[in-house]
Amino acid sequence: MIPEAVALTVRRHALAWLLAANTVGLWLATLLLWPDAGNWLGELSYGRWMPLHMNWQLYGWCSLPLVGALMAWCLVAKHPGVVMHARVALGAWSFALVLGGVAWLGGVTSGKLFLDWHGWSRPLLPLAMVVLWTVVATHGLFWRKPTWARTIALLGLLAVPSVLYWSAGREVYPAVNPDSGGATGASLLGSTLGIVLVFGMLPEMLGMGRSVGARCVGRLGFGLALAASFGVFAVIDHGNASHHAFGQIVGLGMLIVWVPMAWSYFRGFKWPAEARRWLAAAFVWWALLVVTGWVTFLPGVLERLKFTNGLVAHAHLAMAGLVTAMNMAILTSLAPGKSGQSNHYGYFVAWQVATGGMVAVLLVGGWFETGRAGEFFRGEIWVQAVYGVRLLAGVVMWLVSANWLRAAWVTKNEGVPAI
């Protein structure tokens, strides 16, 4: 396990980006309800703010708790410079996101969703990743006894900065569903299996011991099932495949089986008490995500919901639901009972209710949007009600994230006076 000071630094960085991204999201929700409010900021229009909201959520809040888990797995806790090393790596990462925000607000973007690193900002995050890799690899491969799992993982991560830089180029684009203009079933399956792989590594990275006598899926069973799933992914069409193709539908539907299997696997480890409610919430959101995602992908449904608020609902189900719950479980597991954790049950409930309310209202709005798009442009009363609920839910989520960050910020720990 990492020192409490490192866990607190990770928590501060992660929650700071959650609050920053939620602040931008609150402004975007306001613009949807009152578009004229954007006139106050001139060229800083909705399109300029959107990359900040999405990228700060993905590369900030969604990523940094996983960085913390990687540090817990690799850093030598007793090394005299461990806190400084962690702060350098996290500082480089956050600095890249700050400069990236300047670029996106200035209109410097590739136009590719979640790959907006372009022009002078393109090498920023890859360079921050190199700094992080240097820190964790030095600790994990040289200053502590290496293991096969840690060595393979670190060698694999070495390729990520160059892959990110390459994929951000405008000349590179993934396969496209020709009947929807969106992602194919194969690409959705592959990316989700990658997330499952990361989830499966979390107990090892966080140093969780096995529960004695628990009859659950073990590491070997989890690994074999994952290998079989990647085998299915390997044989289905990776090109521009339609959602009408049988293989794309069946391949994507296979993800539903992973929810109970992963739950059985996670139950086999000794998670801290404060992390368990977040894990339970994560699996509820995960079940809703894969079921609704598969139904949404079916012919006739995808045509109606693609590029509507239904897609926005699904994105929030993933980010605000599954990822946030899993990230809070990670942060509370880095230093159980410490590190400025705010485990107030009211905050937990408020976040779940706000997320559920936002997802439900956006999904309903998206379902009616296709045939009534003109009413969205005119701002009919029911449309304003949809966006009003979205804004209200956003306010609740902003207040909760602000309280989480406040709890982390006011916590005093020697060697960690600030971010």
Side-chain angles (χ1 to χ4, degrees):
M1 297 296 291
I2 53 178
E4 181 183 343
V6 175
L8 180 57
T9 303
V10 170
R11 190 174 182 87
R12 286 175 173 176
H13 276 265
L15 292 174
W17 285 114
L18 174 63
L19 182 61
N22 283 354
T23 301
V24 177
L26 206 58
W27 173 241
L28 292 172
T30 301
L31 290 178
L32 289 173
L33 199 58
W34 297 294
D36 290 342
N39 297 334
W40 301 341
L41 298 179
E43 294 183 356
L44 299 182
S45 61
Y46 189 96
R48 296 284 183 92
W49 288 103
M50 181 57 77
L52 266 75
H53 177 60
M54 295 193 299
N55 292 325
W56 281 356
Q57 289 284 12
L58 178 64
Y59 295 109
W61 168 239
C62 295
S63 301
L64 286 173
L66 293 176
V67 170
L70 181 63
M71 288 181 171
W73 196 26
C74 296
L75 297 187
V76 178
K78 295 183 179 180
H79 191 282
V82 65
V83 175
M84 181 191 69
H85 297 162
R87 294 187 69 180
V88 167
L90 292 167
W93 192 288
S94 288
F95 187 58
L97 292 182
V98 170
L99 293 181
V102 173
W104 303 322
L105 277 180
V108 181
T109 175
S110 66
K112 298 172 67 174
L113 194 64
F114 292 120
L115 289 171
D116 295 280
W117 305 96
H118 181 67
W120 62 267
S121 71
R122 189 174 176 184
L124 292 176
L125 191 60
L127 288 174
M129 289 178 171
V130 171
V131 174
L132 171 65
W133 187 89
T134 302
V135 169
V136 294
T138 301
H139 278 258
L141 298 180
F142 299 103
W143 293 347
R144 66 183 302 175
K145 183 179 179 180
T147 64
W148 281 108
R150 189 184 300 117
T151 301
I152 292 172
L154 287 171
L155 291 177
L157 289 174
L158 182 59
V160 174
S162 58
V163 170
L164 176 64
Y165 183 88
W166 168 77
S167 60
R170 288 179 173 175
E171 67 280 1
V172 179
Y173 211 81
V176 176
N177 181 340
D179 291 334
S180 73
T184 66
S187 61
L188 292 171
L189 173 61
S191 59
T192 306
L193 288 178
I195 295 173
V196 172
L197 172 61
V198 173
F199 284 177
M201 294 174 63
L202 284 177
E204 171 72 19
M205 297 169 72
L206 295 171
M208 297 295 165
R210 294 287 297 183
S211 295
V212 179
R215 296 182 178 180
C216 301
V217 174
R219 288 189 176 95
L220 179 59
F222 188 94
L224 291 175
L226 190 59
S229 298
F230 273 113
V232 174
F233 168 72
V235 299
I236 63 177
D237 188 357
H238 291 178
N240 298 328
S242 170
H243 63 292
H244 292 269
F246 179 76
Q248 302 291 308
I249 297 174
V250 173
L252 189 60
M254 183 182 65
L255 293 173
I256 298 175
V257 180
W258 267 106
V259 178
M261 185 180 300
W263 174 249
S264 176
Y265 173 71
F266 268 57
R267 285 183 61 247
F269 295 92
K270 297 179 181 178
W271 295 89
E274 55 266 44
R276 292 172 191 164
R277 74 163 69 113
W278 285 110
L279 286 175
F283 276 88
V284 171
W285 292 121
W286 191 359
L288 290 173
L289 182 67
V290 295
V291 171
T292 58
W294 184 73
V295 171
T296 300
F297 189 76
L298 295 176
V301 182
L302 184 59
E303 288 84 351
R304 180 159 184 166
L305 286 177
K306 191 63 181 176
F307 303 121
T308 68
N309 278 291
L311 179 63
V312 180
H314 204 251
H316 283 85
L317 183 56
M319 298 289 198
L322 169 60
V323 174
T324 292
M326 190 62 75
N327 279 355
M328 290 301 290
I330 294 171
L331 292 178
T332 53
S333 298
L334 288 176
K338 302 176 182 179
S339 301
Q341 296 177 21
S342 177
N343 292 313
H344 194 285
Y345 187 68
Y347 294 149
F348 170 83
V349 172
W351 185 273
Q352 312 309 320
V353 171
T355 300
M358 179 182 291
V359 168
V361 74
L362 288 177
L363 185 60
V364 171
W367 182 255
F368 292 104
E369 185 176 344
T370 301
R372 308 168 75 171
E375 297 180 22
F376 276 80
F377 285 100
R378 293 193 300 270
E380 299 288 351
I381 293 178
W382 76 273
V383 175
Q384 295 295 88
V386 167
Y387 287 144
V389 173
R390 175 180 180 168
L391 178 59
L392 178 61
V395 170
V396 173
M397 296 164 79
W398 187 92
L399 290 172
V400 172
S401 58
N403 274 284
W404 285 339
L405 179 59
R406 177 198 58 78
W409 198 268
V410 299
T411 298
K412 299 184 183 298
N413 189 290
E414 186 177 355
V416 196
I419 287 179

